[in-house]
Amino acid sequence: MTTAREVAQRIVSGRGLPEETAGRGRAPANIALVKYWGKRDEELNLPVTGSLSISLGPLGSEVEVSPAEGPHDAIWLNSAPQPLTGVFARRASAYLDLFRPAPGYWYEVKARNTVPTAAGFASSASGFAAMARALDDLYGWGLSIRELSVLARLGSGSAARSLQDGFVEWHAGSAPDGMDSYGERLPAEWPELRMGAVVLCAAEKPVGSREGMKRSVETCEFYREWPGRVAADLAALKDAIARKDMAALGTVTEGNALAMHALMAATRPPIVYALPETVAAMRTVWAARQEGLPLWFTMDAGPNVKLLFEAKDEARVRGLFPGVQVVAPFG
Ligand code: 2P0
């Protein structure tokens, strides 16, 4: 048995009701303000550091899981059957392997993203969080948010942060089995906060984040500085959130993203996700801020830019970035 299956079975065995005909779950996408980049355990997706994200409310994933006839899983994404050899179906089936009651037991999975595909918010995080919820519903396990977060993490690290709305901190934990590595919501509301997605390039990224972060841990000589930087950024960000200090939140968020991209650039071979358009967008933000607009950005493992600002400044932000898709994380 793999370690991941052993951990999953430890959480769910002995629980549950007779299987339903289908289980359903939904989960929000999340954008990290302090980023996750690097694992201490690749099979269990255990991170080197904690991270902190904001969930995107209704934007995310919905998943329905039901037992199937076989002789293989049937995986659907946005109403389209997925080829079994494709990345999406292979990752979904590998995740289902953690839960099958017996070998040769098959599932049908219908996944739907409630994020416009080109919005730049799509991620595996909401998909695996919704899948964990759908399995919990199918089997009636009645798991806690913390247990669901651990299960979702086994599918994708950042999925640990997609079980709740609002600000969610993923505790790195230290246990070898990862039972203390889960997402927890901060007791904070910030209704005026807005996040904007600026899509600059929808093409597939040259290096996936799974491969990229592994490469950084192994070859980037500055990686040893990263845990200390993240610890300081997490403390400063939690303080900014508690005080609803937009400038402090923006400063920490933008600086942390740039530090992560510096790590990527110093990885061997180097990983540079920014395109000329990315740098131009960054300069637009800096110039606007110089002129008094409280606007900051963050970037993930790709060339697109996400903006952070407050509702009162939305019109000015739209003026600068006409195609921006704006989300109100607190509804
Ligand atoms: C994050 N990223 O904190 C960071 C910032 C990308 C850059 O989490 O291998 O898809 O499934 O654990 O969660 C993307 O990594 O990686 C990610 P796995 P995941 O949002």
Side-chain angles (χ1 to χ4, degrees):
M1 199 185 315
T2 63
T3 311
R5 182 170 161 98
E6 200 182 298
V7 168
Q9 288 301 315
R10 210 181 317 147
I11 291 173
V12 307
S13 68
R15 307 183 71 135
L17 308 164
E19 182 175 270
E20 295 286 334
T21 50
R24 288 177 193 82
R26 58 186 303 164
N30 76 74
I31 299 294
L33 306 180
V34 169
K35 308 292 187 186
Y36 151 52
W37 194 254
K39 304 182 197 200
R40 67 174 196 277
D41 184 308
E42 284 169 19
E43 185 187 347
L44 302 179
N45 295 326
L46 294 176
V48 174
T49 71
S51 55
L52 204 162
S53 60
I54 183 142
S55 292
L56 299 181
L59 299 190
S61 304
E62 292 174 358
V63 170
E64 184 179 313
V65 183
S66 47
E69 289 281 312
H72 49 69
D73 295 326
I75 314 281
W76 301 73
L77 175 61
N78 296 333
S79 306
Q82 298 298 298
L84 293 176
T85 51
V87 177
F88 188 88
R90 279 194 286 127
R91 277 192 82 180
S93 284
Y95 189 63
L96 293 168
D97 286 347
L98 310 183
F99 305 100
R100 293 181 209 281
Y105 186 101
W106 309 108
Y107 295 97
E108 180 174 60
V109 174
K110 290 182 178 160
R112 201 168 73 79
N113 287 330
T114 52
V115 187
T117 316
F121 283 139
S123 95
S124 54
S126 56
F128 283 106
M131 183 99 105
R133 281 196 183 281
L135 287 161
D136 183 59
D137 185 41
L138 175 69
Y139 290 114
W141 293 322
L143 299 179
S144 66
I145 299 280
R146 176 173 170 165
E147 289 167 319
L148 288 169
S149 173
V150 168
L151 289 186
R153 169 176 50 73
L154 298 175
S156 181
S158 50
R161 301 188 306 240
S162 269
L163 277 303
Q164 286 153 292
D165 287 319
F167 294 105
V168 177
E169 179 176 10
W170 173 13
H171 302 289
S174 58
D177 65 3
M179 290 300 182
D180 57 355
S181 183
Y182 62 96
E184 183 175 28
R185 184 176 182 167
L186 303 188
E189 298 279 329
W190 197 327
E192 306 82 10
L193 192 66
R194 295 291 179 272
M195 185 155 261
V198 180
V199 179
L200 301 165
C201 173
E204 198 165 319
K205 47 195 167 192
V207 183
S209 37
R210 190 161 284 195
E211 159 64 18
M213 64 176 84
K214 177 172 155 63
R215 210 192 277 177
S216 291
V217 171
E218 288 169 358
T219 72
C220 176
E221 65 221 83
F222 307 130
Y223 192 81
R224 70 174 82 98
E225 305 294 334
W226 178 244
R229 171 65 189 258
V230 168
D233 285 350
L234 280 173
L237 181 61
K238 286 194 272 189
D239 182 60
I241 290 168
R243 291 184 293 109
K244 284 182 76 176
D245 181 335
M246 187 64 208
L249 177 137
T251 303
V252 174
T253 299
E254 194 174 291
N256 184 268
L258 288 167
M260 178 183 71
H261 282 268
L263 281 184
M264 294 164 167
T267 292
R268 280 171 273 186
I271 306 165
V272 175
Y273 290 110
L275 295 172
E277 295 85 344
T278 313
V279 178
M282 286 163 39
R283 290 186 184 283
T284 299
V285 169
W286 290 328
R289 213 156 67 221
Q290 201 77 44
E291 288 173 12
L293 181 65
L295 173 65
W296 288 265
F297 65 80
T298 185
M299 293 145 62
D300 289 303
N304 300 317
V305 168
K306 284 106 187 174
L307 303 173
L308 279 158
F309 53 95
E310 288 189 302
K312 64 181 172 51
D313 297 311
E314 184 168 332
R316 286 174 74 191
V317 172
R318 285 187 185 279
L320 289 172
F321 295 96
V324 65
Q325 309 213 27
V326 177
V327 183
F330 291 89

